[in-house]
């Protein structure tokens, strides 16, 4: 499955040549036209109240993107929760991507300090956030509206909706859309010919934009993206810039923290199952480490004992100084702590550094206070 995904990516970015690739590319293009039209019809049905939207009892902030893959929604959700939790009792609602177990009804993952589920039930990103925060409510719910009811039952007065931009059914006070500065719109085509989840016209719904990983592009490119977004969404209330901030290097087995200087001049065997594996590799190299080998898994990959054994063999063969993965991947490996033992096995903890963050927060707070849902 992973090799098929890689093959299709090469076809989409045109690095795969030949007649077969050209035929597949044409088929994907035809399918993308159909997908695009269906997305437009769905949007029109909600805009004209033919398909009914539902409104939660408390304000909702949607955090999403317009492309598949990683754009940094999880660290931004963590940032918002940290900044707003002194004023609100916050519930984070997610579909639970990466969970290996199906849950039909809204499911409470954590309330205050009590964890009710692991990564298998919660999904990697939601569980990662839940481990970090004791003051928040975490809910996994495919039906976001039903999830809001459970949040209210547990005393929430504000909801952060993870990956909610395409979830039209639930009204929200504000839509925040994250864009990867380095690869903002893939090849500008919708699925499956590209990585866009919706046509560009959907960006008109966005209230705020965050250009993430802006450290990977120059200032002129950031300005170009801002101008494009202001054209696509002329009524938006701000386009903000963010950079990836490396916090620490943490031992998977012992949870001992090291500064990122610990990685300087180290030879690293890395692996990840995330939406933007290239960004993780760049983060490692920015510490002064050398990536001697890098194993890439599909996004939200569920690691099994056999995978870990293979990774440990590959690490040994690479003659690297240590093994390094992402925090999102690491939460699925805690059950294997005994296998890891005293091996130098770490994950990189990251956050966002947001330019003009006070201005962004002021806009969000005003949106919450207005009470106007759309």
């Amino acid at each position: 499955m992973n090799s098929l995904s890689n093959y299709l990516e090469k076809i989409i970015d045109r690095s795969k040549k030949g007649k077969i690739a050209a035929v597949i590319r044409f088929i994907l293009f035809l399918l993308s036209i159909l997908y695009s039209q269906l997305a437009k019809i769905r949007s029109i049905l909600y805009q004209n109240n033919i398909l009914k939207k539902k409104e939660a009892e408390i304000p909702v902030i949607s955090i999403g993107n317009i492309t598949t893959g990683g754009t940094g929604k999880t660290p931004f959700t963590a940032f918002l929760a940290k900044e707003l939790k002194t004023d609100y009792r916050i519930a984070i609602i997610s579909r639970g991507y990466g969970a290996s177990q199906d849950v039909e009804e809204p499911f409470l993952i954590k309330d205050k300090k009590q964890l009710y589920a692991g990564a298998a039930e919660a999904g990697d990103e939601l569980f990662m956030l839940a481990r970090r925060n004791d003051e928040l409510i975490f809910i996994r719910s495919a039906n976001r509206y039903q999830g809001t009811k459970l949040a209210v039952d547990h005393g929430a007065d504000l909801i952060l909706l993870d990956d909610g931009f395409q979830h039209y059914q639930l009204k929200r006070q504000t839509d925040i859309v994250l864009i990867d500065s380095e690869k903002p719109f893939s090849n500008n085509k919708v699925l499956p010919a590209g990585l866009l989840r919706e046509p560009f016209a959907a960006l008109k719904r966005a209230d705020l934009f965050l250009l993430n990983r802006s450290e990977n592009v120059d200032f002129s490119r950031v300005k170009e993206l801002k101008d494009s977004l202001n054209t696509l969404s002329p009524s938006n209330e701000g386009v903000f810039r963010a950079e990836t901030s490396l916090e620490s290097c943490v031992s998977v087995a012992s949870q001992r923290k090291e500064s990122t200087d610990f990685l300087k001049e180290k030879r690293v065997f890395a692996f990840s199952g995330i939406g933007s594996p290239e960004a993780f590799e760049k983060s490692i190299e920015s510490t002064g480490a050398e990536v001697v080998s890098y194993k890439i898994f599909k996004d939200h990959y569920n690691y099994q004992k056999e995978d870990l054994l293979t990774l440990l063999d590959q690490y040994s063969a690479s003659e690297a100084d240590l093994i390094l993965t992402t925090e999102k991947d690491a939460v699925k490996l805690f059950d294997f702590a005994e296998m890891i033992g005293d091996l130098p096995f770490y994950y990189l903890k990251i956050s966002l550094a947001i330019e003009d963050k006070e201005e962004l927060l002021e806009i969000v707070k005003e949106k919450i206070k207005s009470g106007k849902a759309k």
Side-chain angles (χ1 to χ4, degrees), residues 1-102:
M1 187 65 182
N2 203 28
S3 59
L4 176 60
S5 177
N6 292 336
Y7 180 74
L8 290 175
E9 284 180 14
K10 289 178 180 179
I11 287 176
I12 288 171
D13 66 19
R14 293 184 175 273
S15 60
K16 196 73 176 176
K17 307 296 183 182
K19 291 183 179 179
I20 294 176
V23 170
I24 294 174
R25 212 164 12 245
F26 180 68
I27 293 171
L28 293 177
F29 172 70
L30 293 178
L31 290 173
S32 75
I33 293 175
L34 176 61
Y35 180 95
S36 180
Q37 293 305 311
L38 290 173
K40 287 178 181 178
I41 291 169
R42 179 169 174 261
S43 176
I44 291 170
L45 291 175
Y46 273 106
Q47 287 173 14
N48 290 279
N49 209 29
I50 297 170
L51 291 178
K52 304 293 183 182
K53 291 187 177 183
K54 297 180 180 179
E55 186 170 357
E57 296 177 37
I58 57 178
V60 175
I61 298 173
S62 169
I63 300 158
N65 56 17
I66 196 171
T67 57
T68 62
T71 53
K73 295 189 301 296
T74 301
F76 181 69
T77 301
F79 160 79
L80 268 188
K82 179 181 177 182
E83 296 293 335
L84 298 174
K85 68 183 180 182
T86 56
D87 298 320
Y88 299 96
R89 175 86 164 115
I90 297 173
I92 295 176
I93 299 177
S94 171
R95 186 177 177 180
Y97 295 102
S100 59
Q101 297 182 16
D102 292 333

Side-chain angles (χ1 to χ4, degrees), residues 232-245:
L232 291 165
S233 177
S235 61
N236 82 77
E237 298 188 43
V239 182
F240 296 85
R241 190 176 69 85
E243 296 182 356
T244 300
S245 176

Side-chain angles (χ1 to χ4, degrees), residues 203-228:
L203 290 174
K204 292 180 181 178
R205 306 196 313 271
D207 301 297
L208 294 167
F209 293 101
L210 189 74
L211 297 176
N212 198 16
R213 304 190 182 109
S214 61
E215 72 273 14
N216 295 330
V217 298
D218 57 33
F219 179 79
S220 62
R221 178 55 174 158
V222 172
K223 184 179 183 305
E224 180 185 324
L225 281 172
K226 285 185 175 182
D227 291 343
S228 296

Side-chain angles (χ1 to χ4, degrees), residues 108-128:
L108 183 67
I109 302 301
K110 187 177 183 180
D111 188 1
K112 297 180 181 177
K113 294 185 179 182
Q114 183 63 51
L115 260 172
Y116 298 101
E121 300 90 358
D124 45 26
E125 292 168 344
L126 191 62
F127 183 67
M128 183 181 82

